[in-house]
């Protein structure tokens, strides 16, 4: 029953809000920033209710670590389809997620994502992938945070997959801080027992920001590895919260 309610609710939201989307899109023709802010508020409202219907009991740690009035690069591990909805309900300020290109094929939902400066990454096309990263750099410079999961795919193992180093060029080239994000147990909502959605405890932990301005060449080379180590440590710390 929970599974039906969540998917029905998602479909109903996308259909009912289509006229609203068109109005917000029109606003974007004159004010792109306002379009992104309004779109994110609407999507946040929807995602909070969908996560409630899904039975997600979310604990958020370290939200105060997110710099205020400054665009950042959020870097997270990736366990579930629910990571993006839960991320959107907890980030600060206008934020565009960098998602796989397949999501762009989802009608209406992907349209809202475009409104919020989300980008769709083709990891099989190096040239197109570089273009996406450079667009993300421009977005960050314009004041929009970026959220990326550099494992490249959902991973349900205890150990994270190696982080793709290209993702970190967004911070290096824009000079924005990196905020490590540890997401624990989100796959217990759906992936571990699909096709059924079940209630689960989830922890989202925002770590202390890492400044990239002034980094040496050697520090930049080790950036992906060091950020991944931080996230791994946060995941280990947070086990006690969702395993209760």
């Amino acid at each position: 029953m929970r599974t039906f309610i969540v998917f029905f609710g998602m479909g109903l939201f996308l259909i009912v809000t289509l006229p609203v989307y068109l109005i917000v899109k029109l606003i974007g023709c004159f004010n792109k920033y306002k379009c992104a802010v309004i779109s994110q508020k609407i999507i946040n409202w929807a995602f909070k209710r969908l996560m409630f219907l899904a039975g997600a009991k979310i604990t958020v740690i370290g939200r105060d670590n997110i710099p205020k009035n400054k665009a950042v690069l959020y870097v997270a591990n990736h366990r579930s389809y629910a990571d993006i909805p839960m991320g959107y309900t907890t980030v600060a300020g206008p934020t565009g997620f960098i998602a796989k290109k397949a999501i762009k094929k989802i009608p209406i939902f992907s349209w809202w994502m475009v409104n919020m400066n989300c980008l769709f990454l083709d990891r099989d096309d190096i040239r197109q992938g570089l273009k996406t990263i450079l667009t993300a750099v421009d977005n960050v410079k314009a004041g929009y945070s970026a959220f990326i999961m550099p494992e490249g795919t959902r991973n349900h193992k205890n150990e994270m997959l190696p982080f793709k180093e290209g993702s970190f060029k967004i911070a290096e080239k824009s000079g924005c801080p990196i905020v490590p994000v540890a997401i624990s147990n989100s796959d217990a909502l759906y992936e571990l027992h699909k096709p059924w959605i079940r209630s689960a405890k989830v922890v989202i932990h925002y770590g202390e920001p890492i400044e990239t301005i002034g980094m040496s060449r050697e520090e930049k080379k080790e950036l992906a590895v060091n950020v991944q180590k931080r996230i791994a440590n946060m995941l280990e710390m947070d086990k006690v919260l969702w395993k209760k």
Side-chain angles (χ1 to χ4, degrees), residues 93-155:
T95 302
F97 275 70
I98 299 177
K100 61 182 180 180
K101 67 173 185 177
I103 295 181
K104 194 173 183 178
K105 298 178 182 179
I106 303 175
I108 307 179
F109 177 64
S110 62
W111 303 349
W112 281 108
M113 292 183 72
V114 170
N115 273 6
M116 297 183 293
N117 294 289
C118 294
L119 300 173
F120 304 95
L121 184 62
D122 184 351
R123 298 190 183 277
D124 297 324
D125 187 330
I126 296 177
R127 180 178 295 180
Q128 194 64 34
L130 177 59
K131 185 178 179 180
T132 300
I133 294 298
L134 292 177
T135 301
V137 172
D138 291 337
N139 287 347
V140 170
K141 289 180 177 179
Y144 305 98
S145 293
F147 198 121
I148 195 164
M149 301 168 189
E151 286 180 278
T153 187
R154 287 169 294 137
N155 173 36

Side-chain angles (χ1 to χ4, degrees), residues 56-200:
K57 301 171 184 177
I58 305 171
T59 298
V60 183
I61 303 171
R63 192 178 284 170
D64 290 342
N65 286 327
I66 303 174
K68 304 297 188 292
N69 303 317
K70 181 188 295 186
V72 303
L73 174 65
Y74 298 98
V75 176
N77 62 309
H78 192 18
R79 300 193 67 87
S80 171
Y81 287 121
D83 293 341
I84 291 179
M86 290 189 293
Y88 257 126
T89 62
T90 56
V91 295
T95 302
F97 275 70
I98 299 177
K100 61 182 180 180
K101 67 173 185 177
I103 295 181
K104 194 173 183 178
K105 298 178 182 179
I106 303 175
I108 307 179
F109 177 64
S110 62
W111 303 349
W112 281 108
M113 292 183 72
V114 170
N115 273 6
M116 297 183 293
N117 294 289
C118 294
L119 300 173
F120 304 95
L121 184 62
D122 184 351
R123 298 190 183 277
D124 297 324
D125 187 330
I126 296 177
R127 180 178 295 180
Q128 194 64 34
L130 177 59
K131 185 178 179 180
T132 300
I133 294 298
L134 292 177
T135 301
V137 172
D138 291 337
N139 287 347
V140 170
K141 289 180 177 179
Y144 305 98
S145 293
F147 198 121
I148 195 164
M149 301 168 189
E151 286 180 278
T153 187
R154 287 169 294 137
N155 173 36
H156 312 301
K157 298 179 181 178
N158 291 330
E159 299 293 327
M160 284 179 281
L161 299 173
F163 279 9
K164 311 290 186 182
E165 294 184 3
S167 308
F168 295 84
K169 296 296 182 184
I170 299 171
E172 292 177 29
K173 292 183 177 296
S174 68
C176 74
I178 295 173
V179 177
V181 187
I183 304 175
S184 299
N185 205 43
S186 57
D187 48 354
L189 286 167
Y190 177 67
E191 279 80 1
L192 297 184
H193 40 71
K194 60 184 181 182
W196 310 115
I197 294 173
R198 296 178 182 172
S199 177

